[in-house]
mmCIF file of all heavy atoms in Angstrom:
data_model
loop_
_atom_site.group_PDB
_atom_site.id
_atom_site.type_symbol
_atom_site.label_atom_id
_atom_site.label_comp_id
_atom_site.label_asym_id
_atom_site.label_seq_id
_atom_site.Cartn_x
_atom_site.Cartn_y
_atom_site.Cartn_z
ATOM 1 N N TYR A 36 -34.558 -93.279 115.896
ATOM 2 C CA TYR A 36 -33.800 -92.213 116.501
ATOM 3 C C TYR A 36 -34.714 -90.957 116.615
ATOM 4 O O TYR A 36 -35.521 -90.711 115.735
ATOM 5 C CB TYR A 36 -32.539 -91.843 115.760
ATOM 6 C CG TYR A 36 -31.459 -92.893 115.780
ATOM 7 C CD1 TYR A 36 -31.480 -94.021 114.948
ATOM 8 C CD2 TYR A 36 -30.437 -92.766 116.699
ATOM 9 C CE1 TYR A 36 -30.408 -94.957 114.961
ATOM 10 C CE2 TYR A 36 -29.376 -93.700 116.751
ATOM 11 C CZ TYR A 36 -29.436 -94.797 115.939
ATOM 12 O OH TYR A 36 -28.395 -95.757 115.978
ATOM 13 N N LYS A 37 -34.516 -90.178 117.655
ATOM 14 C CA LYS A 37 -35.219 -88.928 117.840
ATOM 15 C C LYS A 37 -34.218 -87.788 117.799
ATOM 16 O O LYS A 37 -33.205 -87.833 118.450
ATOM 17 C CB LYS A 37 -35.912 -88.890 119.199
ATOM 18 C CG LYS A 37 -36.606 -87.614 119.600
ATOM 19 C CD LYS A 37 -37.143 -87.773 121.043
ATOM 20 C CE LYS A 37 -37.887 -86.476 121.468
ATOM 21 N NZ LYS A 37 -38.395 -86.584 122.855
ATOM 22 N N GLN A 38 -34.532 -86.793 116.987
ATOM 23 C CA GLN A 38 -33.601 -85.647 116.867
ATOM 24 C C GLN A 38 -34.317 -84.386 117.224
ATOM 25 O O GLN A 38 -35.261 -83.972 116.592
ATOM 26 C CB GLN A 38 -32.983 -85.558 115.487
ATOM 27 C CG GLN A 38 -31.975 -84.421 115.331
ATOM 28 C CD GLN A 38 -31.286 -84.393 114.015
ATOM 29 O OE1 GLN A 38 -31.858 -84.779 112.987
ATOM 30 N NE2 GLN A 38 -29.999 -84.021 113.985
ATOM 31 N N GLU A 39 -33.873 -83.740 118.286
ATOM 32 C CA GLU A 39 -34.393 -82.475 118.712
ATOM 33 C C GLU A 39 -33.585 -81.371 118.095
ATOM 34 O O GLU A 39 -32.455 -81.503 117.631
ATOM 35 C CB GLU A 39 -34.451 -82.346 120.241
ATOM 36 C CG GLU A 39 -35.279 -83.391 120.855
ATOM 37 C CD GLU A 39 -35.264 -83.388 122.447
ATOM 38 O OE1 GLU A 39 -34.191 -83.043 122.964
ATOM 39 O OE2 GLU A 39 -36.303 -83.723 123.033
ATOM 40 N N LEU A 40 -34.156 -80.160 117.990
ATOM 41 C CA LEU A 40 -33.553 -78.995 117.384
ATOM 42 C C LEU A 40 -32.155 -78.732 117.883
ATOM 43 O O LEU A 40 -31.976 -78.624 119.152
ATOM 44 C CB LEU A 40 -34.474 -77.808 117.487
ATOM 45 C CG LEU A 40 -34.278 -76.728 116.428
ATOM 46 C CD1 LEU A 40 -34.548 -77.284 115.053
ATOM 47 C CD2 LEU A 40 -35.211 -75.560 116.751
ATOM 48 N N GLY A 41 -31.200 -78.683 117.024
ATOM 49 C CA GLY A 41 -29.856 -78.335 117.440
ATOM 50 C C GLY A 41 -29.065 -79.479 118.131
ATOM 51 O O GLY A 41 -27.958 -79.267 118.583
ATOM 52 N N LYS A 42 -29.628 -80.648 118.044
ATOM 53 C CA LYS A 42 -28.949 -81.839 118.669
ATOM 54 C C LYS A 42 -28.815 -82.961 117.615
ATOM 55 O O LYS A 42 -29.375 -82.893 116.580
ATOM 56 C CB LYS A 42 -29.756 -82.320 119.874
ATOM 57 C CG LYS A 42 -29.923 -81.331 120.966
ATOM 58 C CD LYS A 42 -30.628 -81.955 122.168
ATOM 59 C CE LYS A 42 -30.832 -80.925 123.286
ATOM 60 N NZ LYS A 42 -31.489 -81.522 124.444
ATOM 61 N N GLY A 43 -27.880 -83.902 118.017
ATOM 62 C CA GLY A 43 -27.801 -85.065 117.139
ATOM 63 C C GLY A 43 -28.853 -86.103 117.461
ATOM 64 O O GLY A 43 -29.530 -86.043 118.491
ATOM 65 N N PRO A 44 -29.077 -86.989 116.543
ATOM 66 C CA PRO A 44 -30.115 -88.051 116.777
ATOM 67 C C PRO A 44 -29.721 -88.918 118.017
ATOM 68 O O PRO A 44 -28.520 -89.156 118.280
ATOM 69 C CB PRO A 44 -30.040 -88.914 115.498
ATOM 70 C CG PRO A 44 -29.431 -88.018 114.479
ATOM 71 C CD PRO A 44 -28.499 -87.141 115.223
ATOM 72 N N GLN A 45 -30.771 -89.331 118.661
ATOM 73 C CA GLN A 45 -30.628 -90.164 119.887
ATOM 74 C C GLN A 45 -31.541 -91.402 119.767
ATOM 75 O O GLN A 45 -32.673 -91.320 119.429
ATOM 76 C CB GLN A 45 -30.916 -89.419 121.132
ATOM 77 C CG GLN A 45 -30.821 -90.193 122.445
ATOM 78 C CD GLN A 45 -31.222 -89.320 123.678
ATOM 79 O OE1 GLN A 45 -31.897 -88.296 123.555
ATOM 80 N NE2 GLN A 45 -30.829 -89.832 124.818
ATOM 81 N N LEU A 46 -30.947 -92.575 120.006
ATOM 82 C CA LEU A 46 -31.685 -93.817 119.947
ATOM 83 C C LEU A 46 -32.769 -93.823 120.979
ATOM 84 O O LEU A 46 -32.548 -93.534 122.184
ATOM 85 C CB LEU A 46 -30.798 -94.995 120.156
ATOM 86 C CG LEU A 46 -31.481 -96.369 120.162
ATOM 87 C CD1 LEU A 46 -31.828 -96.783 118.670
ATOM 88 C CD2 LEU A 46 -30.622 -97.465 120.844
ATOM 89 N N ILE A 47 -34.024 -94.123 120.544
ATOM 90 C CA ILE A 47 -35.093 -94.259 121.575
ATOM 91 C C ILE A 47 -35.617 -95.664 121.720
ATOM 92 O O ILE A 47 -36.091 -96.063 122.766
ATOM 93 C CB ILE A 47 -36.288 -93.311 121.192
ATOM 94 C CG1 ILE A 47 -36.802 -93.526 119.784
ATOM 95 C CG2 ILE A 47 -35.909 -91.897 121.392
ATOM 96 C CD1 ILE A 47 -38.123 -92.794 119.463
ATOM 97 N N ILE A 48 -35.516 -96.440 120.702
ATOM 98 C CA ILE A 48 -35.952 -97.853 120.791
ATOM 99 C C ILE A 48 -35.452 -98.560 119.554
ATOM 100 O O ILE A 48 -35.270 -97.964 118.459
ATOM 101 C CB ILE A 48 -37.519 -98.006 120.909
ATOM 102 C CG1 ILE A 48 -37.924 -99.419 121.348
ATOM 103 C CG2 ILE A 48 -38.169 -97.635 119.535
ATOM 104 C CD1 ILE A 48 -39.357 -99.497 121.834
#
Side-chain angles (χ1 to χ4, degrees):
Chain A
Y36 289 84
K37 175 183 181 182
Q38 187 174 29
E39 297 175 331
L40 202 61
K42 298 183 179 180
Q45 180 182 16
L46 178 76
I47 55 171
I48 196 165

